[in-house]
Amino acid sequence: MKTSIQVLKPYFRVEETLYQIRECLERGWSGMGYKTEEFESEWKRYSGFVNAHFLNSATSGLHLAVNIFKSRLGWQDGDEIISTPLTFVSTNHAIMYERMNPVFADVDEKTLCLDPESVKRSITKKTRAVIYVGIGGNAAGYKEIKDICRKNGLVLILDAAHMAGTKWKDDGCQVGHDSDCAVFSFQAVKNCPSGDAGIICFKEKEFDTAARKLAWLGIDKNTYARYSESSYKWRYDVDEIGFKYHGNSIMASLCLVSLKYLDEDNAYRRKLANIYLEELSRVDWIELINHSDDILSSRHTLQILVEERDDFIDRISEFGVYCGVHYVDNRQYRPYQFSEIKPDSAAKVSERLVSLPLHLNLTEEDVRYICERILKIF
Ligand SMILES: *Cc1c(COP(=O)(O)O)cnc(C)c1O
């Protein structure tokens, strides 16, 4: 059979996951509550976050974060949030949904994360928050940016879509406790996969309470709580116009199993990543993207920079090795063209970026095969 290696592909423990799903089906409860509450507890225990609400996606979570801070902290339409142009569009859509303006700071081309100096220079009177994206599981510059936010009275939102299980080496803690809100993704190809799901972790209880209500259309009580009491209480109130953003028990079933193996899986990702880094460090036309020394990275992606990127991807695909790009500079997309593309590092690296295959279905031999192919054809 012809080799076919995808850039990202989920791995599921099928029997264990089906057992969780079967419990939902037998109980007759597949919606919000039950497994979603069980997963929230497991996630809090694992990650150390004090608050966590399970959602249908990280995109919903990022929108909720901006929505809740905006309404509770009195931000206005047209106020600014500093963000990165080098991210999945969800990050910046979340700002646009709330009629605020993304202001694109530059990235550090060695790490692809926001450059703290550029963040500092981007602050104006209208700046309300910074959204930091830990790209590929990295946390470079995070602490500096957190300090900048504290000094300038800005809210720090962490787009942690790639960061499930990224931990500080010194205390073993999940990165992000000190943000005002961290949002994780459990989408199908993320490193802690389900089908589609996410979780929002506010530092303040008050915002978590708001998120629970807003993710369920503004309704003040969840159906499961009403159902599990001795009789079914049909009456509820609607306090505001919310969204349909909460998660369900089937997705939580998948998440429960993925989370159980997250540390083990991330360690395996790091092992594969280290093979790439070792093999490719000898190649002078490849620049490797490093993750910070002070973390154990989730290693959601393995990114490199090459000159003839499109050509590289075409030629390596002839060997059945399919690469990706995380990400195209968002300023190239129509909704973001109001922000002219400066010839900054983000614009430049966006043209040279490649993500090599990295996931649980790969063996060490597969990674060596990919490296060999890369070396041979160039
Ligand atoms: C995947 C991703 C999201 C969105 O996650 P979903 O759960 O698919 O909505 C947000 N930000 C980044 C950086 C992502 O990679």
Side-chain angles (χ1 to χ4, degrees), residues 49 51-53 55 58 60-69 73 75 129-133 142 146 149-150 154-161 163 175-184 199-204 207-208 211:
F49 281 100
N51 301 302
H53 186 43
L55 299 172
S60 305
L62 290 163
H63 178 209
L64 274 183
V66 177
N67 175 285
I68 288 171
F69 286 128
L73 302 177
W75 299 350
V130 176
I131 302 188
Y132 173 93
V133 180
Y142 172 80
K146 184 200 69 194
C149 287
R150 294 289 168 268
L154 304 176
V155 166
L156 176 59
I157 298 170
L158 178 59
D159 178 342
M163 300 176 85
V175 174
H177 293 171
D178 42 7
S179 69
D180 296 290
C181 181
V183 178
F184 294 81
I199 203 159
I200 187 164
C201 308
F202 277 104
K203 189 152 67 176
E204 304 294 339
F207 297 139
D208 177 74

Side-chain angles (χ1 to χ4, degrees), residues 7-8 111-112 135-138 162 268-281 286-291 297-306 312 322-326 352-359 362 367 370-371 374:
V7 60
L8 304 171
T111 67
L112 309 179
I135 209 162
N138 207 346
H162 302 179
Y268 186 67
R269 288 170 172 279
R270 287 193 296 274
K271 187 171 179 184
L272 296 183
N274 286 337
I275 298 174
Y276 274 122
L277 298 176
E278 202 180 296
E279 296 285 324
L280 300 178
S281 64
I286 290 180
E287 263 180 69
L288 303 168
I289 300 298
N290 281 312
H291 289 198
S297 171
S298 66
R299 265 295 170 191
H300 175 54
T301 58
L302 190 295
Q303 292 162 290
I304 60 170
L305 300 176
V306 298
F312 174 93
Y322 305 113
C323 297
V325 174
H326 300 101
R352 299 172 57 212
L353 262 175
V354 182
S355 296
L356 299 175
L358 183 61
H359 49 78
L362 296 178
V367 172
I370 296 166
C371 292
I374 292 174

Side-chain angles (χ1 to χ4, degrees), residues 56-62 86-91 133-136 159-162 183-190 195-199 300 326-327:
N56 61 5
S57 74
T59 304
S60 305
L62 290 163
L86 214 61
T87 182
F88 187 58
V89 287
S90 292
T91 316
V133 180
I135 209 162
D159 178 342
H162 302 179
V183 178
F184 294 81
S185 175
F186 308 121
Q187 191 266 344
V189 300
K190 298 287 154 71
D196 261 311
I199 203 159
H300 175 54
H326 300 101
Y327 293 92

Side-chain angles (χ1 to χ4, degrees), residues 84-329:
T84 170
L86 214 61
T87 182
F88 187 58
V89 287
S90 292
T91 316
N92 294 316
H93 283 9
I95 302 169
M96 301 289 270
Y97 293 151
E98 290 298 319
R99 301 166 307 281
M100 295 181 72
N101 291 339
V103 170
F104 295 115
D106 202 5
V107 302
D108 176 338
E109 61 179 71
K110 294 259 181 295
T111 67
L112 309 179
C113 295
L114 275 177
D115 169 12
E117 286 308 311
S118 178
V119 168
K120 231 187 260 176
R121 285 195 301 273
S122 305
I123 297 173
T124 72
K125 280 205 175 76
K126 286 183 148 189
T127 309
R128 301 290 170 254
V130 176
I131 302 188
Y132 173 93
V133 180
I135 209 162
N138 207 346
Y142 172 80
K143 285 182 173 162
E144 289 85 341
I145 289 169
K146 184 200 69 194
D147 290 342
I148 293 167
C149 287
R150 294 289 168 268
K151 268 189 205 120
N152 292 276
L154 304 176
V155 166
L156 176 59
I157 298 170
L158 178 59
D159 178 342
H162 302 179
M163 300 176 85
T166 290
K167 296 175 180 183
W168 297 115
K169 269 186 195 159
D170 56 2
D171 59 8
C173 279
Q174 165 73 48
V175 174
H177 293 171
D178 42 7
S179 69
D180 296 290
C181 181
V183 178
F184 294 81
S185 175
F186 308 121
Q187 191 266 344
V189 300
K190 298 287 154 71
N191 68 307
C192 184
S194 67
D196 261 311
I199 203 159
I200 187 164
C201 308
F202 277 104
K203 189 152 67 176
E204 304 294 339
K205 182 80 193 155
E206 147 197 16
F207 297 139
D208 177 74
T209 305
R212 284 168 190 278
K213 208 186 286 183
L214 279 169
W216 170 222
L217 299 152
I219 294 173
D220 67 343
K221 292 190 185 74
N222 84 50
T223 320
Y224 191 64
R226 287 186 285 130
Y227 174 92
S228 20
E229 289 158 18
S230 54
S231 62
Y232 181 71
K233 301 206 171 64
W234 58 269
R235 187 178 291 283
Y236 58 77
D237 270 317
V238 180
D239 297 330
E240 53 192 314
I241 305 286
F243 310 96
K244 184 76 165 73
Y245 281 174
H246 64 79
N248 67 59
S249 286
I250 303 296
M251 286 305 130
S253 294
L254 277 80
C255 288
L256 279 166
V257 180
S258 289
L259 181 60
K260 186 171 159 197
Y261 295 96
L262 183 60
D263 282 346
E264 194 180 302
D265 290 352
N266 286 350
Y268 186 67
R269 288 170 172 279
R270 287 193 296 274
K271 187 171 179 184
L272 296 183
N274 286 337
I275 298 174
Y276 274 122
L277 298 176
E278 202 180 296
E279 296 285 324
L280 300 178
S281 64
R282 292 179 241 135
V283 188
D284 58 2
W285 51 270
I286 290 180
E287 263 180 69
L288 303 168
I289 300 298
N290 281 312
H291 289 198
S292 11
D293 286 335
D294 52 356
I295 58 163
L296 281 179
S297 171
S298 66
R299 265 295 170 191
H300 175 54
T301 58
L302 190 295
Q303 292 162 290
I304 60 170
L305 300 176
V306 298
E307 281 312 322
E308 303 287 330
R309 191 263 315 278
D310 296 0
D311 193 37
F312 174 93
I313 292 180
D314 286 347
R315 289 175 69 180
I316 199 77
S317 74
E318 285 166 20
F319 297 100
V321 177
Y322 305 113
C323 297
V325 174
H326 300 101
Y327 293 92
V328 170
D329 187 327

